[in-house]
């Protein structure tokens, strides 16, 4: 059971406002790049390195933009995302959890495509791949572009939101015809 | 130190709100995108509207430092990325933030979503130069543009004669009005219970 939309919307709006007033607008998807950098740097030495001037950089021009964050993950943006996970986990636990069946897969998925776990996991993996590739191409996701962007009257936020719903609605209408 | 404390408090609150409004529940996302239940859409629109009204009235009264605003550049890749993200979101039921929240709430499929996300972000790290060379990242519509002119910042304005704070508050009010106007169950009736299996 979700929170009533009026309370939920007020809470969401206050969180976005507080983030902008005290620090900066909310964003999530860049931290997938930072996490990738941390993983790559742990596997292969020298993915990021320091210049003679002491600046962190990388031979990959895109990763170089996040090199400083990869070198020191204890920064606002990365901890924000970790705290978000903690907050969501705690909130779910406090309302009694989501139940064993939902932990396995969402009810609407099961109603449309059956209970085979690996089919759902495979699609979730593919969805994650597409979404994060797309979010980096667009330089933002639902949090950064749509919510933070549109609430600051950013033109890019509206372009992004138009693109998202133009494909999301027909895709969902085609794929998820059966209710749970 | 203050920054770290703020990250923990604001990040934690954001995660808890995403969980409570149902944004990290794929069932709620699919019910919204198929117009079976628009509660979450109303929540998101109200959230954007409330944030916009607070941000821009905050600027008018001097409570909000315009230096904290961060406007992203507009370019064709924003539209293409949005189109692609919409497909992946509807397919999986997760966004980058909500996928992480869902995994934290115990959803196993969300763990696979995050692994896919790490791979997808990695693929973009390797292909970024190609998109840049193709011109897909070149600014359009002024680049870091906003609707009105925001005093104290040099963002290009779509409507240069309109003050940015007034445009922002009006925009916020419009979002709130749409949030109230949207029906909860456009297909009529619908289920009495908002979310299955909870």
């Amino acid at each position: 059971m979700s929170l009533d939309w009026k309370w939920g919307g007020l809470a969401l709006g206050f969180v976005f406002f507080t983030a902008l007033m005290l620090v900066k607008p909310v964003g999530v998807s860049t931290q997938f790049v930072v996490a990738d950098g941390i993983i790559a740097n742990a596997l292969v030495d020298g993915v990021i390195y320091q210049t003679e001037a002491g600046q962190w950089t990388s031979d990959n021009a895109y990763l170089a933009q996040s090199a400083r964050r990869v070198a020191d993950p204890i920064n606002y943006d990365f901890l924000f995302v970790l705290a978000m996970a903690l907050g969501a986990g705690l909130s779910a636990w406090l309302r009694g959890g989501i139940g064993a069946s939902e932990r396995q897969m969402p009810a609407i998925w099961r109603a449309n495509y059956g209970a085979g776990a690996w089919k759902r996991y495979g699609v979730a993996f593919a969805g994650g791949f597409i979404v994060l590739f797309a979010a980096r191409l667009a330089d933002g996701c639902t949090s950064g572009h749509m919510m933070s962007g549109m609430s600051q009257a950013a033109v890019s936020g509206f372009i992004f939101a138009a693109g998202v719903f133009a494909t999301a609605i027909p895709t969902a209408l085609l794929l998820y015809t059966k209710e749970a | 130190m203050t920054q770290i404390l703020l990250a923990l408090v604001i990040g934690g609150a954001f995660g808890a709100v995403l969980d409570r409004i149902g944004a990290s529940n794929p069932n709620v996302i699919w019910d919204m995108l198929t117009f079976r239940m628009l509660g979450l859409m109303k929540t998101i629109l109200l959230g954007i509207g409330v944030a916009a009204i607070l941000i821009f009235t905050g600027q008018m009264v001097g409570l909000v430092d315009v230096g904290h605003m961060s406007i992203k550049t507009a370019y064709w890749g924003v539209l293409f990325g949005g189109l692609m993200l919409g497909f992946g979101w509807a397919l999986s039921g997760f966004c980058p933030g909500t996928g992480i929240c869902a995994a934290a709430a115990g959803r196993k499929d969300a763990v696979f979503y995050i692994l896919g996300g790490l791979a997808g972000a990695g693929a973009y790290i390797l292909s970024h130069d190609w998109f840049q060379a193709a011109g897909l990242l070149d600014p359009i519509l002024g680049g870091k543009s906003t609707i009105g002119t925001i005093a104290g910042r040099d963002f290009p304005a779509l409507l240069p004669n309109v003050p940015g704070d007034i445009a922002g508050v009006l925009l916020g009010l419009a979002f709130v009005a749409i949030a109230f106007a949207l029906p909860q169950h456009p297909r009529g009736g619908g289920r009495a219970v908002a979310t299955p299996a909870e």
Side-chain angles (χ1 to χ4, degrees), chain A residues 1-6 8-26 28-29 32-33 35-37 39 60-63 65 74-76 79-81 83-92 94-95 98 101-109 118 120-121 123-147 150-156 158-160 162-169 171-173 175-180, chain B residues 3-4 6-8 10-22 25-28 30-36 39 41-44 46-48 50-52 54-56 63-64 68-75 77-92 94-97 100-101 104-109 112-129 131 137 140-141 145-147 150 158 168 171 175 179-180 184 187 191 193-198:
Chain A
M1 186 75 188
S2 307
L3 203 58
D4 177 74
W5 70 272
K6 285 182 197 131
L10 275 177
L12 195 61
F14 271 112
V15 169
F16 275 90
F17 169 69
T18 309
L20 186 135
M21 181 177 68
L22 296 179
V23 192
K24 60 157 145 173
V26 167
V28 174
S29 66
F32 276 82
V33 173
D36 273 337
I39 294 166
N60 179 291
Y62 189 68
L63 193 58
Q65 296 171 17
I74 310 298
N75 60 68
Y76 177 83
L79 289 178
F80 179 92
V81 171
M84 177 189 75
L86 278 176
L90 192 65
S91 161
L94 286 174
R95 64 187 166 90
I98 60 171
S101 156
E102 280 294 305
R103 277 203 296 277
Q104 197 65 29
M105 68 182 71
I108 291 182
W109 173 272
W118 287 100
R120 171 59 185 159
Y121 295 164
V123 167
F125 183 92
F129 187 99
I130 295 166
V131 167
L132 266 304
F133 185 94
R136 291 335 302 151
L137 171 59
D139 188 32
C141 56
T142 328
S143 323
H145 255 311
M146 204 143 94
M147 306 219 42
M150 290 203 292
S151 63
Q152 293 177 90
V155 173
S156 52
F158 288 88
I159 296 173
F160 179 79
V164 168
F165 284 101
T167 52
I169 290 170
T171 302
L173 284 171
L175 292 181
Y176 300 103
T177 48
K178 292 197 190 99
E179 292 184 33
Chain B
Q3 289 273 309
I4 287 174
L6 285 171
L8 296 179
I10 304 172
F14 184 46
V17 171
L18 287 179
D19 173 69
R20 290 298 164 111
I21 63 177
N25 180 343
N27 298 305
V28 176
W30 291 325
D31 273 338
M32 173 181 81
L33 293 174
T34 55
F35 303 103
R36 290 194 279 260
M41 196 73 244
K42 289 161 79 73
T43 305
I44 294 172
L46 182 64
I48 296 173
V50 166
L54 290 173
I55 288 167
F56 288 103
L63 188 69
V64 173
H68 284 197
M69 284 186 73
S70 169
I71 302 296
K72 290 177 189 284
T73 309
Y75 52 90
V78 173
L79 180 64
F80 296 138
L83 289 166
M84 209 178 143
L85 189 143
F87 171 72
W89 180 36
L91 179 70
S92 61
F94 298 126
C95 292
I100 294 171
C101 292
R107 290 185 183 274
K108 288 180 199 156
D109 50 350
F112 289 87
Y113 176 89
I114 293 173
L115 293 174
L118 289 169
Y124 185 76
I125 293 173
L126 299 176
S127 55
H128 170 80
D129 292 353
F131 285 104
L137 310 185
I140 55 171
L141 296 169
S145 49
T146 53
I147 294 178
I150 291 167
L158 216 54
L171 179 78
F175 271 102
F180 273 89
Q184 291 261 22
R187 291 180 162 193
R191 281 160 287 155
V193 181
T195 314
E198 288 215 340

